[in-house]
Short mmCIF file of all heavy atoms in Angstrom, two decimals:
data_model
loop_
_atom_site.label_atom_id
_atom_site.label_comp_id
_atom_site.label_asym_id
_atom_site.label_seq_id
_atom_site.Cartn_x
_atom_site.Cartn_y
_atom_site.Cartn_z
N PRO A 1 -10.12 4.18 2.71
CA PRO A 1 -9.35 2.99 3.10
C PRO A 1 -9.06 2.02 1.91
O PRO A 1 -8.09 1.37 1.87
CB PRO A 1 -10.21 2.31 4.15
CG PRO A 1 -11.12 3.37 4.67
CD PRO A 1 -11.31 4.34 3.55
N GLY A 2 -10.03 2.00 0.95
CA GLY A 2 -9.80 1.13 -0.20
C GLY A 2 -8.61 1.53 -1.02
O GLY A 2 -7.80 0.69 -1.46
N LYS A 3 -8.47 2.81 -1.22
CA LYS A 3 -7.30 3.38 -1.96
C LYS A 3 -6.05 3.08 -1.24
O LYS A 3 -5.02 2.71 -1.80
CB LYS A 3 -7.48 4.83 -2.26
CG LYS A 3 -6.38 5.46 -3.04
CD LYS A 3 -6.12 4.81 -4.37
CE LYS A 3 -7.02 5.34 -5.40
NZ LYS A 3 -6.69 4.76 -6.75
N ALA A 4 -6.07 3.23 0.10
CA ALA A 4 -4.88 2.99 0.92
C ALA A 4 -4.49 1.50 0.74
O ALA A 4 -3.26 1.21 0.62
CB ALA A 4 -5.14 3.32 2.38
N ALA A 5 -5.41 0.60 0.80
CA ALA A 5 -5.09 -0.85 0.68
C ALA A 5 -4.51 -1.12 -0.72
O ALA A 5 -3.52 -1.87 -0.86
CB ALA A 5 -6.32 -1.69 0.92
N THR A 6 -5.06 -0.50 -1.75
CA THR A 6 -4.52 -0.67 -3.10
C THR A 6 -3.09 -0.16 -3.17
O THR A 6 -2.20 -0.81 -3.75
CB THR A 6 -5.45 0.05 -4.10
OG1 THR A 6 -6.78 -0.48 -4.02
CG2 THR A 6 -4.94 -0.13 -5.52
N LEU A 7 -2.88 1.01 -2.60
CA LEU A 7 -1.51 1.60 -2.67
C LEU A 7 -0.55 0.78 -1.81
O LEU A 7 0.67 0.70 -2.20
CB LEU A 7 -1.55 3.06 -2.28
CG LEU A 7 -2.30 3.97 -3.24
CD1 LEU A 7 -2.32 5.41 -2.69
CD2 LEU A 7 -1.66 3.95 -4.63
N LEU A 8 -0.95 0.22 -0.71
CA LEU A 8 -0.08 -0.64 0.07
C LEU A 8 0.32 -1.83 -0.77
O LEU A 8 1.48 -2.25 -0.75
CB LEU A 8 -0.78 -1.11 1.33
CG LEU A 8 -0.88 -0.04 2.47
CD1 LEU A 8 -1.84 -0.52 3.56
CD2 LEU A 8 0.48 0.28 3.04
N GLY A 9 -0.64 -2.47 -1.47
CA GLY A 9 -0.30 -3.55 -2.36
C GLY A 9 0.63 -3.18 -3.48
O GLY A 9 1.56 -3.91 -3.82
N ALA A 10 0.36 -2.02 -4.09
CA ALA A 10 1.22 -1.55 -5.17
C ALA A 10 2.64 -1.28 -4.70
O ALA A 10 3.60 -1.64 -5.35
CB ALA A 10 0.60 -0.29 -5.80
N ALA A 11 2.75 -0.67 -3.51
CA ALA A 11 4.07 -0.41 -2.96
C ALA A 11 4.85 -1.71 -2.71
O ALA A 11 6.04 -1.79 -2.99
CB ALA A 11 3.96 0.40 -1.67
N ALA A 12 4.14 -2.72 -2.19
CA ALA A 12 4.80 -4.00 -1.95
C ALA A 12 5.29 -4.63 -3.24
O ALA A 12 6.41 -5.17 -3.31
CB ALA A 12 3.85 -4.97 -1.23
N SER A 13 4.48 -4.50 -4.27
CA SER A 13 4.83 -5.06 -5.59
C SER A 13 6.04 -4.35 -6.19
O SER A 13 6.97 -5.01 -6.71
CB SER A 13 3.65 -4.97 -6.52
OG SER A 13 3.96 -5.51 -7.78
N VAL A 14 6.05 -3.05 -6.13
CA VAL A 14 7.16 -2.25 -6.66
C VAL A 14 8.43 -2.55 -5.88
O VAL A 14 9.51 -2.77 -6.46
CB VAL A 14 6.85 -0.75 -6.68
CG1 VAL A 14 8.09 0.06 -7.01
CG2 VAL A 14 5.73 -0.44 -7.67
N ARG A 15 8.34 -2.59 -4.56
CA ARG A 15 9.51 -2.90 -3.75
C ARG A 15 10.09 -4.27 -4.11
O ARG A 15 11.29 -4.46 -4.22
CB ARG A 15 9.16 -2.85 -2.27
CG ARG A 15 9.03 -1.47 -1.74
CD ARG A 15 8.88 -1.50 -0.21
NE ARG A 15 8.91 -0.17 0.33
CZ ARG A 15 9.98 0.60 0.49
NH1 ARG A 15 11.14 0.12 0.14
NH2 ARG A 15 9.89 1.78 0.96
N ALA A 16 9.21 -5.25 -4.29
CA ALA A 16 9.69 -6.60 -4.63
C ALA A 16 10.32 -6.60 -6.06
O ALA A 16 11.35 -7.22 -6.23
CB ALA A 16 8.49 -7.58 -4.60
N ALA A 17 9.76 -5.85 -6.95
CA ALA A 17 10.26 -5.83 -8.35
C ALA A 17 11.65 -5.22 -8.41
O ALA A 17 12.48 -5.62 -9.20
CB ALA A 17 9.28 -5.06 -9.26
N ILE A 18 11.89 -4.27 -7.59
CA ILE A 18 13.20 -3.52 -7.65
C ILE A 18 14.16 -4.01 -6.53
O ILE A 18 15.27 -3.53 -6.44
CB ILE A 18 13.02 -2.02 -7.62
CG1 ILE A 18 12.41 -1.54 -6.30
CG2 ILE A 18 12.24 -1.51 -8.80
CD1 ILE A 18 12.45 0.00 -6.16
N GLY A 19 13.72 -4.95 -5.72
CA GLY A 19 14.55 -5.48 -4.68
C GLY A 19 14.86 -4.50 -3.59
O GLY A 19 15.94 -4.45 -3.04
N ALA A 20 13.87 -3.68 -3.24
CA ALA A 20 14.06 -2.66 -2.22
C ALA A 20 13.15 -2.95 -1.03
O ALA A 20 11.98 -2.58 -1.01
CB ALA A 20 13.73 -1.26 -2.76
N PRO A 21 13.65 -3.67 0.00
CA PRO A 21 12.82 -3.95 1.15
C PRO A 21 12.43 -2.68 1.91
O PRO A 21 13.15 -1.63 1.78
CB PRO A 21 13.69 -4.85 2.03
CG PRO A 21 15.08 -4.56 1.59
CD PRO A 21 15.00 -4.13 0.15
N ARG A 22 11.37 -2.75 2.66
CA ARG A 22 10.93 -1.63 3.47
C ARG A 22 12.00 -1.35 4.50
O ARG A 22 12.49 -2.30 5.18
CB ARG A 22 9.59 -1.95 4.10
CG ARG A 22 8.86 -0.82 4.75
CD ARG A 22 7.49 -1.20 5.24
NE ARG A 22 7.35 -2.55 5.74
CZ ARG A 22 6.83 -3.58 5.03
NH1 ARG A 22 6.43 -3.40 3.78
NH2 ARG A 22 6.76 -4.78 5.56
N PRO A 23 12.37 -0.10 4.74
CA PRO A 23 13.38 0.21 5.75
C PRO A 23 12.88 -0.21 7.15
O PRO A 23 11.71 0.03 7.48
CB PRO A 23 13.53 1.73 5.68
CG PRO A 23 13.02 2.10 4.32
CD PRO A 23 11.95 1.09 3.99
N PRO A 24 13.74 -0.83 7.92
CA PRO A 24 13.31 -1.27 9.29
C PRO A 24 12.76 -0.08 10.11
O PRO A 24 11.85 -0.30 10.92
CB PRO A 24 14.63 -1.77 9.90
CG PRO A 24 15.44 -2.22 8.73
CD PRO A 24 15.09 -1.23 7.62
N ALA A 25 13.24 1.08 9.92
CA ALA A 25 12.76 2.25 10.66
C ALA A 25 11.31 2.58 10.35
O ALA A 25 10.63 3.22 11.15
CB ALA A 25 13.62 3.46 10.39
N ASP A 26 10.80 2.09 9.21
CA ASP A 26 9.42 2.38 8.82
C ASP A 26 8.47 1.25 9.25
O ASP A 26 7.25 1.39 9.05
CB ASP A 26 9.33 2.50 7.30
CG ASP A 26 10.04 3.75 6.77
OD1 ASP A 26 10.36 4.64 7.59
OD2 ASP A 26 10.30 3.83 5.56
N GLU A 27 8.95 0.17 9.77
CA GLU A 27 8.16 -1.02 10.07
C GLU A 27 6.96 -0.72 11.02
O GLU A 27 5.84 -1.16 10.73
CB GLU A 27 9.02 -2.15 10.59
CG GLU A 27 8.32 -3.47 10.63
CD GLU A 27 8.02 -4.06 9.29
OE1 GLU A 27 8.57 -3.59 8.26
OE2 GLU A 27 7.19 -4.97 9.23
N ASP A 28 7.22 -0.04 12.11
CA ASP A 28 6.12 0.24 13.04
C ASP A 28 4.98 1.05 12.39
O ASP A 28 3.82 0.70 12.54
CB ASP A 28 6.61 0.96 14.31
CG ASP A 28 7.47 0.04 15.21
OD1 ASP A 28 7.38 -1.20 15.03
OD2 ASP A 28 8.19 0.57 16.07
N ASP A 29 5.35 2.10 11.67
CA ASP A 29 4.36 2.88 10.99
C ASP A 29 3.61 2.09 9.95
O ASP A 29 2.41 2.19 9.80
CB ASP A 29 4.98 4.14 10.32
CG ASP A 29 5.44 5.18 11.34
OD1 ASP A 29 4.93 5.18 12.48
OD2 ASP A 29 6.33 5.98 10.98
N TYR A 30 4.34 1.26 9.23
CA TYR A 30 3.70 0.42 8.21
C TYR A 30 2.70 -0.54 8.82
O TYR A 30 1.56 -0.66 8.38
CB TYR A 30 4.75 -0.36 7.44
CG TYR A 30 4.21 -1.47 6.60
CD1 TYR A 30 3.58 -1.19 5.38
CD2 TYR A 30 4.22 -2.81 7.01
CE1 TYR A 30 3.03 -2.18 4.60
CE2 TYR A 30 3.69 -3.81 6.23
CZ TYR A 30 3.10 -3.48 5.03
OH TYR A 30 2.54 -4.48 4.28
N LEU A 31 3.12 -1.22 9.89
CA LEU A 31 2.21 -2.19 10.54
C LEU A 31 1.00 -1.53 11.15
O LEU A 31 -0.11 -2.07 11.11
CB LEU A 31 2.97 -2.96 11.62
CG LEU A 31 4.07 -3.96 11.07
CD1 LEU A 31 4.85 -4.54 12.24
CD2 LEU A 31 3.46 -4.98 10.17
N ARG A 32 1.17 -0.31 11.70
CA ARG A 32 0.05 0.44 12.23
C ARG A 32 -0.93 0.84 11.09
O ARG A 32 -2.15 0.66 11.25
CB ARG A 32 0.57 1.69 12.95
CG ARG A 32 -0.47 2.43 13.77
CD ARG A 32 0.09 3.53 14.63
NE ARG A 32 1.42 4.04 14.33
CZ ARG A 32 2.53 3.68 14.91
NH1 ARG A 32 2.54 2.75 15.84
NH2 ARG A 32 3.71 4.20 14.57
N ALA A 33 -0.43 1.33 9.99
CA ALA A 33 -1.29 1.71 8.86
C ALA A 33 -1.97 0.46 8.32
O ALA A 33 -3.21 0.51 8.01
CB ALA A 33 -0.44 2.37 7.77
N LEU A 34 -1.26 -0.61 8.16
CA LEU A 34 -1.83 -1.86 7.69
C LEU A 34 -3.01 -2.32 8.55
O LEU A 34 -4.09 -2.62 8.05
CB LEU A 34 -0.77 -2.90 7.65
CG LEU A 34 -1.05 -4.21 6.90
CD1 LEU A 34 -1.15 -3.91 5.41
CD2 LEU A 34 0.08 -5.20 7.14
N ALA A 35 -2.81 -2.27 9.85
CA ALA A 35 -3.87 -2.70 10.80
C ALA A 35 -5.08 -1.77 10.72
O ALA A 35 -6.22 -2.23 10.76
CB ALA A 35 -3.32 -2.75 12.19
N GLN A 36 -4.85 -0.46 10.59
CA GLN A 36 -5.97 0.49 10.55
C GLN A 36 -6.76 0.31 9.27
O GLN A 36 -8.01 0.32 9.29
CB GLN A 36 -5.44 1.90 10.61
CG GLN A 36 -4.90 2.25 11.97
CD GLN A 36 -4.20 3.64 12.01
OE1 GLN A 36 -3.84 4.21 10.97
NE2 GLN A 36 -4.01 4.16 13.20
N VAL A 37 -6.09 0.15 8.18
CA VAL A 37 -6.78 -0.03 6.88
C VAL A 37 -7.55 -1.33 6.83
O VAL A 37 -8.71 -1.43 6.45
CB VAL A 37 -5.76 0.07 5.69
CG1 VAL A 37 -6.45 -0.27 4.39
CG2 VAL A 37 -5.20 1.48 5.65
N ARG A 38 -6.87 -2.42 7.32
CA ARG A 38 -7.53 -3.74 7.34
C ARG A 38 -8.78 -3.68 8.27
O ARG A 38 -9.85 -4.23 7.91
CB ARG A 38 -6.53 -4.79 7.85
CG ARG A 38 -7.10 -6.20 7.84
CD ARG A 38 -6.07 -7.20 8.26
NE ARG A 38 -5.39 -7.64 7.06
CZ ARG A 38 -4.07 -7.70 6.94
NH1 ARG A 38 -3.29 -7.36 7.91
NH2 ARG A 38 -3.54 -8.10 5.83
N ALA A 39 -8.70 -3.02 9.40
CA ALA A 39 -9.87 -2.89 10.33
C ALA A 39 -10.97 -2.09 9.70
O ALA A 39 -12.14 -2.46 9.85
CB ALA A 39 -9.40 -2.30 11.65
N ALA A 40 -10.61 -1.06 8.98
CA ALA A 40 -11.62 -0.19 8.38
C ALA A 40 -12.37 -0.90 7.25
O ALA A 40 -13.61 -0.71 7.08
CB ALA A 40 -11.00 1.10 7.84
N LEU A 41 -11.66 -1.73 6.49
CA LEU A 41 -12.28 -2.40 5.33
C LEU A 41 -12.88 -3.72 5.62
O LEU A 41 -13.77 -4.18 4.93
CB LEU A 41 -11.24 -2.54 4.22
CG LEU A 41 -10.77 -1.29 3.53
CD1 LEU A 41 -9.71 -1.62 2.54
CD2 LEU A 41 -11.95 -0.62 2.82
N GLY A 42 -12.31 -4.43 6.60
CA GLY A 42 -12.64 -5.85 6.81
C GLY A 42 -11.67 -6.68 5.90
O GLY A 42 -11.11 -6.17 4.91
N GLU A 43 -11.48 -7.91 6.30
CA GLU A 43 -10.45 -8.73 5.64
C GLU A 43 -10.69 -8.98 4.19
O GLU A 43 -9.75 -8.90 3.36
CB GLU A 43 -10.31 -10.07 6.39
CG GLU A 43 -9.14 -10.90 5.94
CD GLU A 43 -7.80 -10.20 6.11
OE1 GLU A 43 -7.61 -9.49 7.13
OE2 GLU A 43 -6.92 -10.30 5.23
N ASP A 44 -11.91 -9.25 3.79
CA ASP A 44 -12.19 -9.57 2.36
C ASP A 44 -11.94 -8.35 1.49
O ASP A 44 -11.27 -8.47 0.43
CB ASP A 44 -13.62 -10.08 2.21
CG ASP A 44 -13.83 -11.46 2.81
OD1 ASP A 44 -12.84 -12.15 3.04
OD2 ASP A 44 -15.01 -11.82 3.01
N ALA A 45 -12.51 -7.23 1.84
CA ALA A 45 -12.31 -6.00 1.04
C ALA A 45 -10.84 -5.58 1.02
O ALA A 45 -10.33 -5.17 -0.02
CB ALA A 45 -13.18 -4.90 1.54
N PHE A 46 -10.19 -5.70 2.17
CA PHE A 46 -8.77 -5.34 2.25
C PHE A 46 -7.94 -6.22 1.28
O PHE A 46 -7.14 -5.74 0.48
CB PHE A 46 -8.22 -5.49 3.64
CG PHE A 46 -6.72 -5.26 3.72
CD1 PHE A 46 -6.20 -3.97 3.77
CD2 PHE A 46 -5.84 -6.35 3.63
CE1 PHE A 46 -4.80 -3.80 3.78
CE2 PHE A 46 -4.47 -6.18 3.65
CZ PHE A 46 -3.96 -4.90 3.74
N SER A 47 -8.17 -7.56 1.33
CA SER A 47 -7.45 -8.49 0.52
C SER A 47 -7.66 -8.19 -0.95
O SER A 47 -6.70 -8.23 -1.78
CB SER A 47 -7.81 -9.93 0.85
OG SER A 47 -7.39 -10.22 2.15
N ALA A 48 -8.92 -7.96 -1.32
CA ALA A 48 -9.20 -7.63 -2.74
C ALA A 48 -8.52 -6.39 -3.21
O ALA A 48 -7.90 -6.34 -4.31
CB ALA A 48 -10.72 -7.51 -2.93
N ALA A 49 -8.57 -5.36 -2.41
CA ALA A 49 -7.89 -4.07 -2.77
C ALA A 49 -6.39 -4.20 -2.82
O ALA A 49 -5.75 -3.68 -3.71
CB ALA A 49 -8.30 -2.96 -1.79
N GLU A 50 -5.83 -4.98 -1.89
CA GLU A 50 -4.36 -5.14 -1.87
C GLU A 50 -3.91 -5.95 -3.06
O GLU A 50 -2.92 -5.65 -3.74
CB GLU A 50 -3.89 -5.81 -0.61
CG GLU A 50 -2.35 -5.86 -0.53
CD GLU A 50 -1.82 -6.75 0.57
OE1 GLU A 50 -2.47 -7.72 0.92
OE2 GLU A 50 -0.71 -6.43 1.00
N ARG A 51 -4.67 -6.99 -3.45
CA ARG A 51 -4.38 -7.78 -4.67
C ARG A 51 -4.46 -6.93 -5.89
O ARG A 51 -3.59 -7.06 -6.79
CB ARG A 51 -5.36 -8.95 -4.77
CG ARG A 51 -4.94 -10.17 -4.03
CD ARG A 51 -5.75 -11.40 -4.44
NE ARG A 51 -7.19 -11.22 -4.44
CZ ARG A 51 -7.99 -11.29 -3.41
NH1 ARG A 51 -7.48 -11.57 -2.23
NH2 ARG A 51 -9.28 -11.10 -3.53
N ALA A 52 -5.46 -6.04 -5.96
CA ALA A 52 -5.56 -5.15 -7.11
C ALA A 52 -4.30 -4.25 -7.19
O ALA A 52 -3.80 -3.98 -8.27
CB ALA A 52 -6.80 -4.29 -7.00
N GLY A 53 -3.84 -3.79 -6.07
CA GLY A 53 -2.64 -2.95 -6.08
C GLY A 53 -1.38 -3.71 -6.48
O GLY A 53 -0.57 -3.22 -7.26
N ARG A 54 -1.30 -4.97 -6.05
CA ARG A 54 -0.16 -5.79 -6.41
C ARG A 54 -0.14 -6.08 -7.93
O ARG A 54 0.93 -6.26 -8.52
CB ARG A 54 -0.13 -7.10 -5.64
CG ARG A 54 0.28 -6.90 -4.17
CD ARG A 54 0.31 -8.20 -3.45
NE ARG A 54 0.64 -8.02 -2.06
CZ ARG A 54 1.88 -8.04 -1.56
NH1 ARG A 54 2.89 -8.22 -2.33
NH2 ARG A 54 2.10 -7.83 -0.26
N ALA A 55 -1.31 -6.13 -8.53
CA ALA A 55 -1.44 -6.38 -9.95
C ALA A 55 -1.25 -5.15 -10.85
O ALA A 55 -1.16 -5.22 -12.03
CB ALA A 55 -2.77 -7.03 -10.29
N MET A 56 -1.26 -4.01 -10.19
CA MET A 56 -1.20 -2.72 -10.94
C MET A 56 0.17 -2.49 -11.58
O MET A 56 1.19 -2.87 -11.02
CB MET A 56 -1.46 -1.60 -9.86
CG MET A 56 -1.67 -0.22 -10.43
SD MET A 56 -1.95 0.93 -9.06
CE MET A 56 -3.60 0.47 -8.57
N ALA A 57 0.13 -1.90 -12.75
CA ALA A 57 1.36 -1.54 -13.44
C ALA A 57 2.11 -0.49 -12.61
O ALA A 57 1.48 0.37 -11.96
CB ALA A 57 1.11 -1.02 -14.82
N THR A 58 3.41 -0.53 -12.64
CA THR A 58 4.21 0.43 -11.86
C THR A 58 3.88 1.84 -12.16
O THR A 58 3.69 2.68 -11.26
CB THR A 58 5.71 0.16 -12.09
OG1 THR A 58 6.02 -1.16 -11.67
CG2 THR A 58 6.57 1.13 -11.27
N GLU A 59 3.70 2.15 -13.43
CA GLU A 59 3.38 3.50 -13.84
C GLU A 59 2.05 3.95 -13.25
O GLU A 59 1.86 5.12 -12.82
CB GLU A 59 3.33 3.63 -15.38
CG GLU A 59 4.69 3.44 -16.01
CD GLU A 59 5.08 1.95 -16.16
OE1 GLU A 59 4.25 1.06 -15.96
OE2 GLU A 59 6.24 1.72 -16.47
N GLN A 60 1.06 3.07 -13.26
CA GLN A 60 -0.24 3.36 -12.68
C GLN A 60 -0.14 3.54 -11.17
O GLN A 60 -0.77 4.43 -10.61
CB GLN A 60 -1.26 2.30 -13.02
CG GLN A 60 -2.68 2.63 -12.55
CD GLN A 60 -3.20 3.87 -13.29
OE1 GLN A 60 -3.14 3.97 -14.46
NE2 GLN A 60 -3.71 4.86 -12.50
N ALA A 61 0.67 2.74 -10.53
CA ALA A 61 0.87 2.84 -9.09
C ALA A 61 1.46 4.20 -8.71
O ALA A 61 1.01 4.86 -7.77
CB ALA A 61 1.76 1.72 -8.56
N ILE A 62 2.41 4.64 -9.51
CA ILE A 62 3.04 5.95 -9.27
C ILE A 62 1.99 7.08 -9.45
O ILE A 62 1.87 8.00 -8.65
CB ILE A 62 4.24 6.16 -10.15
CG1 ILE A 62 5.35 5.20 -9.73
CG2 ILE A 62 4.74 7.63 -10.13
CD1 ILE A 62 6.50 5.06 -10.70
N ALA A 63 1.24 6.96 -10.58
CA ALA A 63 0.24 8.01 -10.84
C ALA A 63 -0.83 8.03 -9.77
O ALA A 63 -1.22 9.15 -9.31
CB ALA A 63 -0.41 7.73 -12.21
N ASP A 64 -1.27 6.88 -9.29
CA ASP A 64 -2.30 6.86 -8.24
C ASP A 64 -1.76 7.40 -6.94
O ASP A 64 -2.47 8.08 -6.18
CB ASP A 64 -2.82 5.43 -8.03
CG ASP A 64 -3.80 5.00 -9.10
OD1 ASP A 64 -4.00 5.72 -10.11
OD2 ASP A 64 -4.39 3.92 -8.91
N THR A 65 -0.50 7.10 -6.65
CA THR A 65 0.13 7.63 -5.37
C THR A 65 0.25 9.16 -5.44
O THR A 65 -0.11 9.81 -4.47
CB THR A 65 1.51 6.99 -5.20
OG1 THR A 65 1.37 5.58 -5.10
CG2 THR A 65 2.19 7.53 -3.95
N LEU A 66 0.68 9.64 -6.58
CA LEU A 66 0.80 11.11 -6.71
C LEU A 66 -0.58 11.80 -6.60
O LEU A 66 -0.72 12.85 -5.99
CB LEU A 66 1.49 11.49 -8.06
CG LEU A 66 2.96 11.10 -8.11
CD1 LEU A 66 3.48 11.33 -9.52
CD2 LEU A 66 3.78 11.81 -7.09
N ALA A 67 -1.58 11.17 -7.20
CA ALA A 67 -2.93 11.68 -7.10
C ALA A 67 -3.45 11.68 -5.66
O ALA A 67 -4.07 12.62 -5.20
CB ALA A 67 -3.90 10.92 -7.99
N ALA A 68 -3.15 10.63 -4.92
CA ALA A 68 -3.53 10.56 -3.52
C ALA A 68 -2.83 11.61 -2.71
O ALA A 68 -3.44 12.25 -1.83
CB ALA A 68 -3.22 9.16 -2.95
N ILE A 69 -1.58 11.84 -2.96
CA ILE A 69 -0.82 12.88 -2.26
C ILE A 69 -1.42 14.29 -2.58
O ILE A 69 -1.58 15.08 -1.68
CB ILE A 69 0.68 12.84 -2.62
CG1 ILE A 69 1.30 11.56 -2.04
CG2 ILE A 69 1.40 14.10 -2.14
CD1 ILE A 69 2.70 11.27 -2.57
N ASP A 70 -1.72 14.51 -3.82
CA ASP A 70 -2.34 15.79 -4.19
C ASP A 70 -3.69 15.99 -3.49
O ASP A 70 -4.00 17.09 -3.07
CB ASP A 70 -2.56 15.87 -5.71
CG ASP A 70 -1.28 16.14 -6.47
OD1 ASP A 70 -0.28 16.58 -5.86
OD2 ASP A 70 -1.30 15.92 -7.71
N GLY A 71 -4.41 14.87 -3.27
CA GLY A 71 -5.69 14.97 -2.58
C GLY A 71 -5.53 15.27 -1.08
O GLY A 71 -6.48 15.80 -0.47
N ILE A 72 -4.39 15.00 -0.54
CA ILE A 72 -4.15 15.25 0.86
C ILE A 72 -3.68 16.68 1.09
O ILE A 72 -4.07 17.30 2.05
CB ILE A 72 -3.08 14.30 1.47
CG1 ILE A 72 -3.63 12.86 1.43
CG2 ILE A 72 -2.65 14.67 2.89
CD1 ILE A 72 -2.58 11.79 1.76
N ALA A 73 -2.87 17.15 0.16
CA ALA A 73 -2.26 18.50 0.33
C ALA A 73 -3.23 19.61 0.19
O ALA A 73 -4.25 19.62 -0.19
CB ALA A 73 -1.16 18.66 -0.74
#
C-alpha cells in the first residue's frame, strides 16, 4: 500500500506538470483505489507516502511505476 500511495502522488504530480487531468471515465476506479490505499495505511502514513510521490522526479516516478508493473506481471 505504501508504494501505491507514493505512485498515486507521483501520478498526480506528473499530470499537473503536463496539464493532463485524470480522464472522467477513470474517476470511480481512482477514488476506489485511493480509499483502499488510505484505509490500508491510515491517514498519516498515506499522506507521507503521497507527499513523497508528489516530490519525486518524473523520471523516478516512471521507473518506479514500471518496476511495480513488472512486479505484478
Side-chain angles (χ1 to χ4, degrees):
K3 179 57 84 175
T6 301
L7 293 177
L8 286 167
S13 179
V14 170
R15 285 189 173 283
I18 64 172
R22 192 174 35 261
D26 293 344
E27 191 68 15
D28 288 344
D29 289 337
Y30 168 77
L31 292 174
R32 189 172 19 264
L34 192 67
Q36 289 172 343
V37 172
R38 183 176 271 129
L41 290 176
E43 190 59 39
D44 290 342
F46 174 83
S47 293
E50 187 191 30
R51 274 193 310 276
R54 287 181 182 270
M56 190 180 288
T58 300
E59 295 80 10
Q60 186 62 50
I62 292 168
D64 283 8
T65 301
L66 292 174
I69 291 168
D70 284 343
I72 294 170

